[in-house]
């Protein structure tokens, strides 16, 4: 945090809401009794951190303080460790003013870390095998991102056939249009009232908020592309790619595939041909759901009775 302040003095350095809540909850479990009181306190805490403006924050703070009156150890911890020094970095009243594109926790990093740990299995691989593994993981993720881009460009969602989205279909990520649709649902309560709207999605995500959408639908006109932050329309890794649907072409991609195909060995050729067949004949597929339920949380657990010496040791094979 000190380094960020020095190197990027104008940047707002947020803190992970998930981990702060985890710490607060643990402290509450240790210092507050009975259990019923813990639930009450955690509810007041949640209301506090999701305060949408400063006035609401101080109101919720008074309620929180009242509930904690008999738990001074817990209250002092929360107040001195988190609220006084850091509230601007995690309470919504302040983070709602920052363009964070929805990243208010470290979830992205955590899940990348989890994927890597799962794929590496242990900490004793030599640098060659670890490099290979990390490389193939990144290639795989890169392909998944490209696939999600393609989905945003091609897939038609019936819900978004409204002319309001005419300029956005196939140009924005599906995720961005979902956000706009959620704001569109608020229009009936908010209309063009800015105070009622609070315009959070505009400041945090760079997307049109309910009051803005209300103005477009009154004219009526479609949401213009320049009302959207450029971050949401980046659906390619190419620097020079055109975003004009009329200029879309797959010639470059086909050429690359043909070239790649010629360089492959026989098993590689069969595998690539299989993938292309799936695109050419979409009614057939080689994919099946996994037979057993796949566990997707936590690091792989080791069965203690079966842990071999190799698994327990953190020493590398010196010959590497
Ligand atoms: Zn608004």
């Amino acid at each position: 945090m000190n380094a960020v302040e020095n190197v990027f003095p104008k940047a707002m350095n947020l803190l992970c809401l998930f981990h702060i809540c985890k710490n607060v909850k643990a402290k509450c479990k240790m210092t507050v009794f009975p259990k019923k009181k813990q639930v009450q306190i955690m509810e007041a805490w949640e209301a506090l951190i999701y305060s949408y403006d400063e006035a609401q924050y101080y109101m919720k703070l008074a309620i929180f303080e009242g509930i904690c009156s008999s738990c001074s150890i817990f209250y002092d911890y929360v107040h001195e460790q988190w609220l006084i020094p850091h509230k601007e970095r995690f309470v919504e009243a302040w983070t709602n003013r920052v363009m964070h594109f929805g990243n208010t926790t470290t979830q992205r990093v955590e899940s990348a870390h989890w994927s890597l740990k799962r794929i590496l299995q242990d900490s004793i691989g030599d640098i060659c095998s670890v490099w290979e593994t990390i490389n193939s993981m990144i290639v795989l993720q890169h392909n998944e991102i490209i696939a999600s881009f393609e989905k945003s460009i091609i897939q038609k969602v019936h819900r978004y056939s409204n002319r309001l989205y005419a300029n956005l279909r196939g140009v924005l990520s599906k995720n961005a249009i979902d956000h706009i649709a959620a704001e569109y649902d608020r229009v009936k309560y908010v209309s063009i009232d800015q105070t009622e709207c609070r315009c959070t999605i505009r400041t945090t995500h760079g997307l049109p908020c309910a009051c803005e959408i209300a103005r477009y639908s009154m004219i009526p006109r479609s949401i213009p592309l320049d009302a959207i932050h450029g971050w949401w329309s980046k659906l390619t890794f190419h620097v020079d790619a055109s975003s004009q649907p009329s200029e879309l072409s797959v010639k470059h991609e086909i050429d690359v595939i043909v070239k790649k195909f010629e360089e492959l060995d026989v098993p590689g050729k069969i595998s690539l041909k299989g993938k292309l067949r799936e695109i050419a004949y979409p009614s057939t597929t080689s994919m099946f759901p996994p037979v057993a339920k796949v566990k997707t949380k936590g690091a792989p657990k080791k069965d203690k009775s079966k842990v071999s010496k190799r698994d327990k040791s953190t020493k590398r094979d010196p010959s590497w």
Side-chain angles (χ1 to χ4, degrees):
M1 280 165 63
N2 291 337
V4 170
E5 214 153 89
N6 276 310
V7 184
F8 304 109
K10 286 179 191 159
M12 185 64 209
N13 170 204
L14 302 184
L15 293 176
C16 175
L17 194 57
F18 174 81
H19 286 98
I20 294 175
C21 288
K22 207 172 142 186
N23 288 359
V24 169
K25 199 171 179 181
K27 189 78 178 180
C28 181
K29 264 189 168 169
M30 274 186 328
T31 55
V32 176
F33 298 100
K35 217 173 169 185
K36 209 175 137 194
K37 184 88 184 170
Q38 292 176 4
V39 177
Q40 218 184 354
I41 284 185
M42 287 314 290
E43 276 173 9
W45 160 258
E46 282 215 2
L48 178 66
I49 56 174
Y50 292 115
S51 309
Y52 55 77
D53 63 16
E54 281 182 53
Q56 203 199 30
Y57 172 78
Y58 288 108
M59 196 183 83
K60 299 280 179 192
L61 183 64
I63 298 172
F64 180 69
E65 203 178 340
I67 294 175
C68 295
S69 59
S70 59
C71 327
S72 60
I73 298 176
F74 173 75
Y75 182 77
D76 291 347
Y77 162 78
V78 172
H79 208 230
E80 278 153 34
Q81 286 283 316
W82 298 113
L83 297 178
I84 293 180
H86 301 307
K87 63 178 178 303
E88 292 85 0
R89 302 177 190 277
F90 69 93
V91 175
E92 278 205 356
W94 287 274
T95 59
N96 275 351
R97 300 175 194 166
V98 180
M99 183 87 78
H100 54 56
F101 296 111
N103 290 300
T104 52
T105 67
T106 51
Q107 199 220 339
R108 278 181 175 224
V109 191
E110 300 284 342
S111 69
H113 186 209
W114 171 81
S115 314
L116 182 61
K117 277 209 296 193
R118 186 188 51 159
I119 214 159
L120 289 178
Q121 295 289 334
D122 57 31
S123 54
I124 55 172
D126 59 87
I127 193 158
C128 304
S129 66
V130 167
W131 191 92
E132 280 288 342
T133 315
I134 295 177
N135 184 56
S136 51
M137 185 187 90
I138 291 171
V139 169
L140 194 74
Q141 287 181 346
H142 188 249
N143 288 338
E144 280 170 6
I145 296 168
I146 293 173
S148 83
F149 285 168
E150 294 294 316
K151 215 170 153 184
S152 291
I153 294 170
I154 297 162
Q155 210 177 46
K156 287 193 177 77
V157 180
H158 179 68
R159 194 171 165 226
Y160 305 144
S161 51
N162 188 322
R163 63 165 284 184
L164 196 64
Y165 305 112
N167 297 325
L168 313 180
R169 283 191 292 266
V171 183
L172 286 201
S173 81
K174 206 184 143 287
N175 190 265
I177 303 194
D178 288 343
H179 278 301
I180 299 171
E183 284 299 302
Y184 181 59
D185 289 342
R186 288 178 65 224
V187 169
K188 48 184 178 288
Y189 310 110
V190 170
S191 190
I192 52 166
D193 185 349
Q194 247 178 20
T195 348
E196 189 68 25
C197 176
R198 296 197 294 270
C199 313
T200 311
I201 203 94
R202 169 52 69 206
T203 45
T204 60
H205 288 63
L207 290 170
C209 54
C211 72
E212 221 178 303
I213 298 172
R215 269 176 250 127
Y216 293 129
S217 40
M218 273 165 88
I219 299 176
R221 64 174 286 199
S222 313
I223 300 170
L225 204 54
D226 59 15
I228 313 282
H229 192 287
W231 197 68
W232 300 101
S233 52
K234 179 98 181 100
L235 296 179
T236 170
F237 282 104
H238 300 298
V239 183
D240 59 344
S242 100
S243 58
Q244 295 302 317
S246 56
E247 290 169 34
L248 274 180
S249 152
V250 291
K251 196 181 170 303
H252 173 72
E253 285 77 4
I254 301 278
D255 290 347
V256 174
I257 292 171
V258 171
K259 202 171 156 240
K260 219 181 203 176
F261 186 78
E262 277 156 12
E263 287 165 2
L264 284 170
D265 54 3
V266 176
K269 277 187 173 153
I270 293 171
S271 148
L272 183 57
K273 191 177 157 75
K275 280 179 198 159
L276 290 174
R277 278 189 68 90
E278 277 175 28
I279 300 169
Y281 310 103
S283 57
T284 63
T285 174
S286 61
M287 286 190 283
F288 296 97
V291 190
K293 194 170 178 285
V294 182
K295 199 168 168 281
T296 53
K297 273 191 170 169
K301 292 232 164 47
K302 286 178 191 124
D303 185 346
K304 274 203 180 123
S305 59
K306 286 182 195 155
V307 176
S308 71
K309 208 175 172 192
R310 185 190 133 85
D311 288 341
K312 259 195 285 183
S313 164
T314 53
K315 227 177 173 178
R316 289 168 206 282
D317 181 348
S319 65
W320 280 101

